[in-house]
Amino acid sequence: MSKSLKRVKRALEEAGVSVDVLEMSEGTRTAAEAAAAAGCHLDQIAKSIIFRDETTGQAVLFVTAGGNQVDAAKASAVAGAPLGKADAGLIRAQTGFAIGGVAPVGHLNPIRAWWDPRLSEFDAVYAAAGTPRHIFPIAPSDLQRLSGAETADFIS
């Protein structure tokens, strides 16, 4: 089991949230792939979108529904700073995850996060579990609480 997957499982367990992490035979790098693998609606996929805060150089997280796109201008307004593209090195250094498997929980370092309210319309959502082949179902309220994400309007 990868270190990343172990970290996600540990974060969930330590928070008292019991979920079954699913290993998919097909990849889950994109929201569409994850939705097809899970057999759920595209918007039930909780995507972890990472930007670089240009003021601090730190990564920031936007947890959004699979079919939605983050609007860069709205996201910058929500974050209170100009945002830029986060490269793979920054993402790995701050979260501990590689692109394609970034989980919204279990990060190596604290991260400021915001939540797409569309996700809260479902009984369950699916999020990456630290690898491109693992996802987990979870109640949106639990995922928002564990990620520390604030509800905000950042969708185009």
Side-chain angles (χ1 to χ4, degrees):
M1 181 184 313
S2 78
K3 290 184 216 175
S4 296
L5 178 57
K6 285 180 186 175
R7 205 169 52 253
V8 171
K9 284 185 168 186
R10 185 173 52 250
L12 293 166
E13 289 168 5
E14 288 175 356
V17 176
S18 177
V19 302
D20 291 321
V21 173
L22 310 171
E23 182 174 5
M24 301 306 197
S25 58
E26 302 296 319
T28 58
R29 287 183 183 274
T30 69
E33 288 175 351
C40 69
H41 189 283
L42 179 61
D43 280 353
Q44 282 181 272
I45 301 301
K47 297 189 297 190
S48 294
I49 307 298
I50 306 282
F51 287 93
R52 181 180 190 275
D53 178 323
E54 297 295 346
T55 304
T56 66
Q58 296 292 305
V60 294
L61 170 65
F62 290 84
V63 183
T64 186
N68 286 345
Q69 296 296 316
V70 175
D71 179 288
K74 286 182 178 181
S76 290
V78 166
L83 300 179
K85 184 178 188 310
D87 64 23
L90 173 63
I91 293 169
R92 174 73 84 172
Q94 187 155 353
T95 70
F97 302 117
I99 293 172
V102 177
V105 299
H107 298 153
L108 288 177
N109 298 291
I111 191 167
R112 292 189 311 147
W114 291 272
W115 180 262
D116 178 353
R118 171 73 171 125
L119 292 165
S120 298
E121 296 174 14
F122 298 98
D123 292 333
V125 295
Y126 294 80
T131 82
R133 294 177 53 118
H134 291 87
I135 59 175
F136 62 94
I138 188 169
S141 58
D142 286 338
L143 185 58
Q144 184 176 10
R145 177 177 54 82
L146 295 178
S147 67
E150 297 176 37
T151 300
D153 176 16
F154 53 83
I155 300 304
S156 52

